[in-house]
Amino acid sequence: MTELQQKLTGKSFLFKVLNGVALGIVVGLIPNAILGELFKYLTQFHPFFGILLNVVVGIQFTVPVIVGVLIAMQFKLNPLQTVIVGTAAFVGSGAAVFQEKAWVLVGIGDLINTMLTASISVLIILWIKDRLGSLNIILLPIIAGGLAGLVGLLSLPYVKLITSSLGQLVNSFTNLQPIVMCVLIAIVFSILIISPISTVAIAMAIGISGMASGAANLGVAAAATMLAIGSIKVNKSGVTIAILMGAMKMMMPNLIKYPIIILPIAVTAAMSGLAGAIFNIQGTPASAGFGYSGLVGPINALKFMDGNILINLGILGLSYIVIPVITGLAVNALCLKFKVYGPEVFKFQSGE
């Protein structure tokens, strides 16, 4: 038994899985988050940018494999074992579905089920160890890859119920008074963006639009702003930049270890949602849940705004940047002053 296996506890196992997911999200999503909308716009000028767009979107489709591989690396598995976990995670993610006699990629899959499948694969590998001897290379992919992948496929419909239930909750907010609706939706999306649940998937599932969509984007942007404010003093600049570019899910381990970070994020999101209601910031189901990422949210909001474009840009700047920055700085300063939490709660958990 290795030193890792001797020291492995439920808590350390969970954090290793979360660390792998956090890194995988950055690697897989950042290229498209930063360059996707730019290449999409430039495609009208030259088809080569369309090829570049396909490249960054293609990288995004590999997220389940990347997550599985990086989870395996957290447990110091060997190359064969690492690849097996990656393949199992891809199958269990649901990113590929069989339709009309063909496999079709439908996105990055369900992140919760990806984590579950990868965890099962890792546990099987740690349990088997070297018991298979010379048959390891033949049987391990079948047992640790195939069996874990099968469990993942069987659990996928039930795990997806988490997303659909949250979608129904968010959808119920749309029946409330506009200001209350925008504040609540902004808060919910600001928390979901640092959880394993996809904000984009929820937005698409319930067809969220109009001011509700705008509030969802503002909530995600508020979370990015607050996390970046907290990150500046305790993390390297690359971590903070990645957060601003859309990789808020890399802070999932922090959410689990220090759930108090929900407080400043929720307050910042509430103020942003209020601004969205006041200024009538809108969006579509396809744009909701992105926040700053690729400027999808602000660009779509601008399309719904009438009047002088400079004034509209000023309103967007106020809603997406000024208000969340001022609120985030104030809330963070108060929380630090009254020792609600310490600066370490925003320290990127790169590998415990």
Side-chain angles (χ1 to χ4, degrees), residues 202-219:
I202 288 179
M204 292 295 289
I206 64 176
I208 192 171
S209 61
M211 290 176 63
S213 174
N217 269 313
L218 287 168

Side-chain angles (χ1 to χ4, degrees), residues 259-280:
I260 189 61
I261 66 173
I262 290 176
L263 174 61
I265 290 171
V267 173
T268 306
M271 292 302 295
S272 295
L274 179 61
I278 293 172
F279 295 117
N280 194 28

